[in-house]
Amino acid sequence: MLQKLPHLVAALCILLLPHLSPAAEGKPTLLVDSDNRPSISLDGDWHAVVDPYDNGYLDFRMQARPDGYFLNEKPGKSNKLVEYDFSKSAPLKVPGDWNSQRDSLFFYEGTVWYQKDFQYQRKPGTRTFFHVGAANYLAQVFVNGQKACEHEGGFTPFDCEVTSLVRDGDNFVVIHVNDQRKRDGIPTLNTDWWNYGGLTRDVSLIETPETFVEDYSLQLQKGSDAIIAGWVHVVGASAGMQVTVKIPELNLTQTAASDAQGRAAFSLKAAKLQRWSPRTPKLYDIEIISGKDHLKDSVGFRTIEVRGDDILLNGKSIFLRGISVHAEAPYRSGRAWSQQDAETLLGWARELGANFVRLAHYPHDERMTRLADRMGLLVWSEVPVYWMIEWENPATLANATNQLQEMIRRDRNKASVVLWSVANETPNTPARLAFLKSLIATAHSEDPSRPVTAALLVTTLPDTAEGIRTKVIDDPLGEYLDVLGCNEYIGWYEGQPELAARTRWTSKFNKPLIMSEFGGDAKFGLHGPPDQRWTEEYQENIYRRQIAMLKQIPFLRGLSPWILMDFRSPRRTLPEIQDFYNRKGLVSNEGQKKKAFFMLQEYYKSLAAQEN
Ligand code: GCU
């Protein structure tokens, strides 16, 4: 009974929350290109109350408290009993997970209340949004004691309108963040990454005019050399509102009228357009003007498509020399969020000779995709539909769909992002197939310009008498994907590294394959014979054998070995070797490169040389 308590608490919280302040409850929106909007940063120290029993919500009968911690009351101000005091509660840094900030919170999963005072002066004719880059996992935002909005999902941004809640002068915000893992959650109970909780990305106040550009899409039209097509959605716009798109460097300006839903369509003919590619990651400054709103962004234009078992970038076949990456902060560990984290991680990928990164298993900080745009790294971006999800639960599907839509909306205009992934290593059942078909349909309708993939598990046929092992890609989900991803661990979870030499790959589908995971653990600095697990030599041996095997697969169009850097995982407890780290990194969490790093680098260099 006891261990069921946390889920019970979480479930009751969700159930009882609406009663707290029904009036102000709103569904957040997601402002595209928000990092280019005028904003007031609220990053820094926040007071934090660690509240394992959600006492800030529930009284001893587990009934919702009308006077929860969101009211930010001060004890002693009146003789009312107040049993919390933000002003005396030790701070936590934002952005940042709480687990890596305090030893006492290393394993903590539950509720933390964040509080911050701020000064504000609202300008006439503007609207104010409370922007959260990401909060893991459930977040409730209260401004001046009033509920502004709630959000589920730890890896996508949300913007709560607080125009009617902020006041001139002194204000305070309280954010209830709960990272309790939930069976019906996305992700669900079991993951091979640390459940870093908290306000893990930037928090700020964003101002917009009354009517403002909420979302837009500008892409190079497939099959055209120079047509940039797309749309702009203006909130608050009535039919006929003028919207202008400018690309000064291309001497392009076009004005269109919005329809009744505030949407204006564009088709601009761009002479002399330099396409975005890994070699030439050309970004153009663009401007979108509507009424008083003037949004700026920098966008690359390229096409990405699948033809048979090939992937074409700008109409030309491309091989994705990749690496998988977790959003684990190099050197300090914890959830990665900073510009420095992004530059270090993508810098190592570049050093490896990669032109592609699989950002696993959830959308990473927007700094990563912005930087990939500038560096010319192609990106696989994924929602955390991982392992055993509640496939038959409509609320879980709605949650996954929402996270997918948010991921696409935030990075729709990032040229670097070329693949949306809807799942990782999920069981081949009818309920799962229906769930994922729905996500694939959502991805295609939200963004018809990009292929959709997923990381599949494969069928292994019994070895032949000669000892040949055949892998067959026949997962029914493959039918609905544009690009197949496959995870395999020959030499680690399956046999010895040498097994790769006698493994053959076939596919039921005439589609491109990305080997989205392979590899093995090695503790940096541990050396020994190539058949001794955990040594750098064993990991290097796996890579040597894998590369030889992969070269034999005719429909292989890319790979993203597991993984760039060692990362924290609660499932990895082997003392003196793992110590709560998955050690499959080619680089240790302290930035030390293992032998396999150079093995893969050499291979990628040879591939790049062949491209010239
Ligand atoms: C899986 C999974 C990863 C995990 C890896 C491993 O394939 O997708 O999230 O970390 O294997 O076992 O190291």
Side-chain angles (χ1 to χ4, degrees):
M1 174 61 195
L2 266 183
Q3 70 273 13
K4 281 193 105 14
L5 196 56
H7 301 317
L8 191 61
V9 168
L12 276 172
C13 278
I14 308 293
L15 279 176
L16 293 170
L17 275 175
H19 308 302
L20 285 171
S21 49
E25 206 154 297
K27 185 169 177 344
T29 183
L30 191 161
L31 301 177
V32 161
D33 191 26
S34 60
D35 53 347
N36 279 325
R37 281 198 174 277
S39 68
I40 299 166
S41 173
L42 293 174
D43 290 349
D45 283 351
W46 286 57
H47 297 294
V49 173
V50 180
D51 183 12
Y53 279 37
D54 257 306
N55 192 47
Y57 266 141
L58 306 168
D59 62 19
F60 77 106
R61 293 201 194 299
M62 302 294 263
Q63 301 301 314
R65 294 167 177 277
D67 62 343
Y69 292 3
F70 54 91
L71 294 176
N72 184 28
E73 294 180 282
K74 303 260 179 291
K77 226 172 165 197
S78 68
N79 64 2
K80 180 172 174 236
L81 172 60
V82 176
E83 294 182 290
Y84 67 95
D85 185 344
F86 281 114
S87 64
K88 291 197 179 125
S89 303
L92 283 172
K93 290 216 172 315
V94 173
D97 61 278
W98 59 61
N99 313 75
S100 58
Q101 292 191 52
R102 275 190 222 160
D103 292 350
S104 60
L105 295 177
F106 184 58
F107 289 107
Y108 181 66
E109 292 184 303
T111 285
V112 170
W113 294 84
Y114 287 82
Q115 187 277 342
K116 192 166 182 98
D117 295 327
F118 63 94
Q119 289 293 317
Y120 191 63
Q121 211 68 39
R122 197 159 74 78
K123 298 182 196 62
T126 64
R127 298 167 75 161
T128 311
F129 290 85
F130 199 88
H131 172 80
V132 177
N136 191 41
Y137 173 74
L138 280 171
Q140 320 289 330
V141 177
F142 302 85
V143 171
N144 297 330
Q146 296 284 315
K147 183 152 174 207
C149 74
E150 61 187 46
H151 183 266
E152 179 162 4
F155 304 100
T156 43
F158 57 98
D159 297 281
C160 312
E161 169 127 34
V162 293
T163 310
S164 63
L165 302 181
V166 286
R167 51 188 178 227
D168 293 348
D170 295 338
N171 292 266
F172 69 87
V173 55
V174 172
I175 308 186
H176 170 275
V177 181
N178 180 294
D179 77 338
Q180 199 76 56
R181 282 168 291 125
K182 306 190 302 170
R183 182 170 295 292
D184 63 352
I186 299 282
T188 181
L189 297 172
N190 193 12
T191 67
D192 192 27
W193 69 81
W194 206 269
N195 183 25
Y196 289 122
L199 297 174
T200 54
R201 294 181 192 156
D202 299 312
V203 177
S204 62
L205 286 168
I206 291 180
E207 286 169 346
T208 71
E210 289 290 347
T211 65
F212 62 92
V213 177
E214 185 190 48
D215 193 3
Y216 80 93
S217 169
L218 283 176
Q219 311 267 351
L220 185 57
Q221 207 163 308
K222 270 190 206 141
S224 88
D225 244 349
I227 302 292
I228 295 172
W231 48 266
V232 173
H233 178 242
V234 181
V235 166
S238 49
M241 177 147 190
Q242 300 297 294
V243 185
T244 301
V245 168
K246 286 186 178 177
I247 311 180
E249 198 182 332
L250 293 170
N251 245 335
L252 286 175
T253 298
Q254 189 172 84
T255 299
S258 65
D259 62 18
Q261 283 70 46
R263 198 171 158 121
F266 291 86
S267 176
L268 303 102
K269 188 157 179 30
K272 300 203 181 69
L273 175 78
Q274 189 183 351
R275 291 190 181 212
W276 184 96
S277 74
R279 281 227 186 92
T280 57
K282 171 67 184 166
L283 299 177
Y284 287 92
D285 291 338
I286 67 154
E287 296 171 44
I288 302 176
I289 302 146
S290 168
K292 292 204 180 78
D293 203 13
H294 193 150
L295 194 60
K296 296 186 174 170
D297 203 349
S298 49
V299 175
F301 298 104
R302 51 99 189 99
T303 59
I304 183 78
E305 54 200 303
V306 170
R307 203 172 291 160
D309 64 6
D310 206 356
I311 299 175
L312 308 182
L313 180 76
N314 295 325
K316 281 207 322 272
S317 172
I318 185 161
F319 188 86
L320 305 177
R321 307 187 304 270
I323 189 76
S324 292
V325 183
H326 251 304
E328 181 84 41
Y331 306 110
R332 69 175 193 281
S333 283
R335 187 55 76 216
W337 63 268
S338 71
Q339 189 59 29
Q340 187 53 60
D341 294 337
E343 286 168 7
T344 304
L345 292 168
L346 297 187
W348 286 331
R350 175 59 18 108
E351 215 182 313
L352 202 51
N355 62 4
F356 171 62
V357 284
R358 176 189 176 199
L359 302 184
H361 290 292
Y362 38 77
H364 287 212
D365 192 291
E366 192 168 2
R367 288 183 177 85
M368 285 290 267
T369 48
R370 285 268 187 221
L371 184 57
D373 262 11
R374 287 197 295 278
M375 288 175 71
L377 281 169
L378 299 156
V379 170
W380 157 316
S381 187
E382 184 166 315
V383 280
V385 175
Y386 180 92
W387 289 349
M388 301 307 284
I389 299 286
E390 271 199 358
W391 306 108
E392 279 141 18
N393 182 336
T396 303
L397 177 58
N399 178 1
T401 303
N402 186 53
Q403 293 191 36
L404 178 66
Q405 288 166 326
E406 290 179 346
M407 171 175 81
I408 293 175
R409 188 145 152 183
R410 190 197 76 183
D411 285 345
R412 182 200 310 280
N413 297 298
K414 308 278 190 317
S416 57
V417 178
V418 289
L419 283 164
W420 301 120
S421 173
V422 294
N424 181 75
E425 292 188 355
T426 49
N428 176 5
T429 67
R432 166 258 196 181
L433 186 60
F435 189 109
L436 295 180
K437 277 170 69 180
S438 163
L439 288 188
I440 295 168
T442 299
H444 282 146
S445 72
E446 287 287 328
D447 176 14
S449 77
R450 288 181 179 85
V452 175
T453 188
L456 307 174
L457 295 173
V458 288
T459 302
T460 304
L461 301 183
D463 291 2
T464 63
E466 299 73 36
I468 297 300
R469 179 165 302 192
T470 303
K471 299 277 181 185
V472 186
I473 305 172
D474 59 358
D475 183 326
L477 183 66
E479 193 72 48
Y480 305 94
L481 297 173
D482 306 302
V483 172
L484 309 170
C486 268
N487 296 356
E488 50 90 3
Y489 281 92
I490 297 166
W492 188 253
Y493 297 125
E494 183 186 354
Q496 302 302 311
E498 294 66 30
L499 171 60
R502 42 191 187 81
T503 300
R504 307 284 175 270
W505 287 80
T506 63
S507 171
K508 211 177 118 199
F509 311 101
N510 176 29
K511 294 186 178 182
L513 169 67
I514 295 175
M515 205 59 88
S516 40
E517 288 184 34
F518 66 84
D521 288 59
K523 171 84 174 159
F524 174 77
L526 186 60
H527 294 288
D531 61 356
Q532 183 190 330
R533 278 182 187 270
W534 308 109
T535 61
E536 289 192 42
E537 286 72 16
Y538 189 97
Q539 187 189 47
E540 186 189 35
N541 189 15
I542 288 177
Y543 274 75
R544 180 180 302 109
R545 305 288 178 165
Q546 285 277 341
I547 290 168
M549 174 190 75
L550 294 165
K551 284 179 180 169
Q552 310 307 320
I553 307 177
F555 47 90
L556 184 76
R557 300 310 301 142
L559 50 145
S560 52
W562 195 259
I563 185 165
L564 179 66
M565 186 189 85
D566 294 353
F567 62 95
R568 276 226 182 97
S569 167
R571 303 174 72 247
R572 311 296 172 176
T573 58
L574 186 61
E576 291 157 22
I577 290 201
Q578 293 180 315
D579 297 319
F580 285 126
Y581 280 93
N582 182 312
R583 297 285 182 199
K584 293 190 180 69
L586 295 177
V587 184
S588 76
N589 50 298
E590 284 153 18
Q592 303 139 317
K593 297 189 177 76
K594 304 174 191 176
K595 282 187 165 185
F597 180 98
F598 303 103
M599 165 72 58
L600 187 63
Q601 185 187 51
E602 200 188 310
Y603 175 49
Y604 281 175
K605 283 215 172 102
S606 70
L607 285 177
Q610 285 163 27
E611 271 173 19
N612 297 336

